[in-house]
Amino acid sequence: MVKIGVFSDTHIGRTVPNVVAEYRRRAFRHAFEQALNIFIEEGVEYVVHGGDVFERRSMTPGDTKFVKEEFQRLVDGLGGEVKILVVRGNHDGTPENSALDYVEHPLAKYLKVIGDGALKGEVDIYEDDGIAAVGYGYTPYAAVKIGEVEEAIRKRFEETSAEHKIFIIHAFIEDHQDIPPGVPEYQIVPKKVVKNIGADLINV
């Protein structure tokens, strides 16, 4: 059995409302630490982050240092036997100016940011003996864009021999979650698309 730790929307660096800005920053860091503590205690083999690692507008160099050190603590706590997969959320920035660039590093082989290739029609996949994961980074036109790569994602999953197939997306999905009033249709991914791409696990 493969153990996967899943979390999302950690918003490291978030300081709103301003009247309690520093308390908010500490609270989000504390929640991040607690999630990693659970992953270590459970001995997970993979960690999936569904986007919005950072609150880019208010993040500081200390916030990026914190995330890098926490990820390293996770790796050390699991004896180096863990892979961390992340997709970019809307609060992480754009593909061209992503806060995730501050934590991704060639020497940090345990960390893989996936999903922005799909927005350009180049579906990237993380694959090893345990899992195959396809990411889909944030775009304000999620429903339109995913239609352009739906078939390519399905083919990626069909071609893999991995036992567990994971689709990681940072978007609203029809009938899956409470969607705030006023969200336009082009930001809501149709349920039928997600059901038909061939994944065993969908991480939103």
Side-chain angles (χ1 to χ4, degrees), residues 29-59:
R29 286 190 181 192
H30 178 69
F32 194 97
E33 290 172 339
Q34 291 297 96
L36 268 56
N37 287 343
I38 292 170
F39 298 155
I40 292 170
E41 289 169 11
E42 292 294 326
V44 302
E45 298 161 69
Y46 301 91
V47 167
V48 173
H49 194 295
D52 286 348
V53 174
F54 292 102
E55 186 78 14
R56 196 184 190 292
R57 289 186 179 181
S58 53
M59 63 184 279

Side-chain angles (χ1 to χ4, degrees), residues 7 11 98 129 136:
F7 67 153
H11 292 277
S98 173
D129 293 335
Y136 187 81

Side-chain angles (χ1 to χ4, degrees), residues 15-36:
T15 58
V16 292
N18 287 334
V19 67
V20 289
E22 191 54 34
Y23 292 105
R24 288 283 277 177
R25 187 186 299 276
R26 291 178 193 170
F28 278 91
R29 286 190 181 192
H30 178 69
F32 194 97
E33 290 172 339
Q34 291 297 96
L36 268 56

Side-chain angles (χ1 to χ4, degrees), residues 3-198:
K3 275 195 173 184
I4 304 172
V6 178
F7 67 153
S8 182
D9 294 271
T10 48
H11 292 277
I12 297 300
R14 193 164 199 166
T15 58
V16 292
N18 287 334
V19 67
V20 289
E22 191 54 34
Y23 292 105
R24 288 283 277 177
R25 187 186 299 276
R26 291 178 193 170
F28 278 91
R29 286 190 181 192
H30 178 69
F32 194 97
E33 290 172 339
Q34 291 297 96
L36 268 56
N37 287 343
I38 292 170
F39 298 155
I40 292 170
E41 289 169 11
E42 292 294 326
V44 302
E45 298 161 69
Y46 301 91
V47 167
V48 173
H49 194 295
D52 286 348
V53 174
F54 292 102
E55 186 78 14
R56 196 184 190 292
R57 289 186 179 181
S58 53
M59 63 184 279
T60 66
D63 293 322
T64 59
K65 182 174 182 287
F66 167 80
V67 170
K68 285 189 285 189
E69 289 178 347
E70 281 298 295
F71 278 153
Q72 187 62 58
R73 180 174 71 85
L74 173 68
V75 172
D76 293 342
L78 293 168
E81 299 299 320
V82 66
K83 294 292 188 298
I84 305 168
L85 307 176
V86 183
V87 297
R88 178 186 52 78
N90 52 307
H91 288 268
D92 292 317
T94 65
E96 299 78 22
N97 189 12
S98 173
L100 300 179
D101 293 340
Y102 293 104
V103 294
E104 191 176 30
H105 191 279
L107 296 179
K109 297 184 184 298
Y110 54 80
L111 176 66
K112 182 73 175 171
V113 178
I114 59 175
D116 280 341
L119 302 180
K120 300 181 291 184
E122 304 163 3
V123 178
D124 49 352
I125 187 167
Y126 171 87
E127 187 172 9
D128 64 19
D129 293 335
I131 68 169
V134 171
Y136 187 81
Y138 173 78
T139 170
Y141 304 101
V144 177
K145 288 287 187 180
I146 202 166
E148 297 172 0
V149 293
E150 176 186 355
E151 185 61 27
I153 293 172
R154 187 184 301 112
K155 285 184 178 178
R156 283 290 202 172
F157 282 133
E158 288 174 351
E159 292 166 356
T160 181
S161 59
E163 182 178 358
H164 304 285
K165 302 172 184 179
I166 304 173
F167 182 54
I168 312 167
I169 181 172
H170 192 87
F172 294 115
I173 296 178
E174 178 188 25
D175 294 336
H176 177 74
Q177 70 230 94
D178 292 332
I179 298 175
V183 173
E185 288 295 319
Y186 57 77
Q187 290 188 2
I188 303 172
V189 174
K191 179 172 60 176
K192 65 179 182 179
V193 172
V194 177
K195 287 180 68 175
N196 293 332
I197 59 174

